[in-house]
Amino acid sequence: MIIYLENFFRTGYFGEITLGATKQSVLDYLGPADSDNLMGDIGASLLYGCYELFFYNNDTLHYIQNDSYCADNPLTYQFCNSRFGIDTWFFNETLQDIYSIMQLLKKCNIDFQLIDYHARPVLKTHTGIHIDFVEDTNELGIKPLNAFFYSAD
């Protein structure tokens, strides 16, 4: 099975999973995680490569993210196990900034807004997925793509 990030950004569904799913239903669908972590009174997390799924006290999926993306390191965005793989879409070896991602979202007819998130510009899709960028400008003069997150908040 392949999970397409383009479809996730368009629909809010990570394959067949969306916020509110139970931990057990995620495990049934995605299979065993690389890491299954208890976080004390807060809840738990499942880690598939650098893709993190967080479950809070009531054992429902509250947050999906990849905040480890680095264009130079495919291990931060590529993932495949015996159950599923991820079509990474714009998470790839190309160094990208907010403008190139805006163009791609427009080309793919994915509605988004440019918002202020903790005093920095972030793209937020109509489904509520945030696309985040490094705060500091690099040697090429851009603030590269850094992460995505999808939260029930």
Side-chain angles (χ1 to χ4, degrees):
M1 158 181 61
I2 302 293
I3 293 177
Y4 295 90
L5 288 186
E6 180 178 353
N7 191 55
F8 174 56
F9 281 68
R10 184 182 313 286
T11 66
Y13 279 83
F14 193 73
E16 294 182 10
I17 296 165
T18 195
L19 300 181
T22 66
K23 183 179 175 190
Q24 188 58 54
S25 69
V26 171
L27 287 166
D28 290 346
Y29 183 71
L30 297 179
D34 294 341
S35 182
D36 186 341
N37 305 297
L38 293 176
M39 301 179 334
D41 293 338
I42 297 171
S45 68
L46 297 174
L47 187 63
Y48 295 90
C50 290
Y51 296 86
E52 302 169 285
L53 292 83
F54 292 94
F55 303 82
Y56 289 163
N57 292 335
N58 58 1
D59 197 39
T60 59
L61 182 59
H62 187 80
Y63 205 86
I64 301 172
Q65 74 176 16
N66 180 335
D67 64 351
S68 301
Y69 171 78
C70 175
D72 294 339
N73 185 355
L75 295 177
T76 66
Y77 52 88
Q78 293 178 349
F79 180 80
C80 187
N81 68 13
S82 62
R83 190 59 111 17
F84 76 100
I86 294 179
D87 178 313
T88 60
W89 193 31
F90 64 75
F91 274 67
N92 57 43
E93 69 281 350
T94 304
L95 190 61
Q96 300 176 77
D97 65 4
I98 196 165
Y99 305 106
S100 63
I101 301 299
M102 288 170 68
Q103 293 291 57
L104 180 63
L105 292 173
K106 287 178 187 177
K107 178 182 173 189
C108 294
N109 295 314
I110 297 175
D111 294 330
F112 66 92
Q113 299 173 12
L114 179 61
I115 65 167
D116 180 64
Y117 184 80
H118 299 286
R120 66 182 189 276
V122 168
L123 300 176
K124 181 180 179 183
T125 69
H126 68 283
T127 56
I129 297 170
H130 292 72
I131 305 166
D132 201 0
F133 300 84
V134 175
E135 290 185 38
D136 298 321
T137 303
N138 67 13
E139 66 279 357
L140 300 173
I142 66 170
K143 296 179 180 185
L145 175 65
N146 180 50
F148 76 78
F149 60 92
Y150 185 36
S151 171
D153 294 335

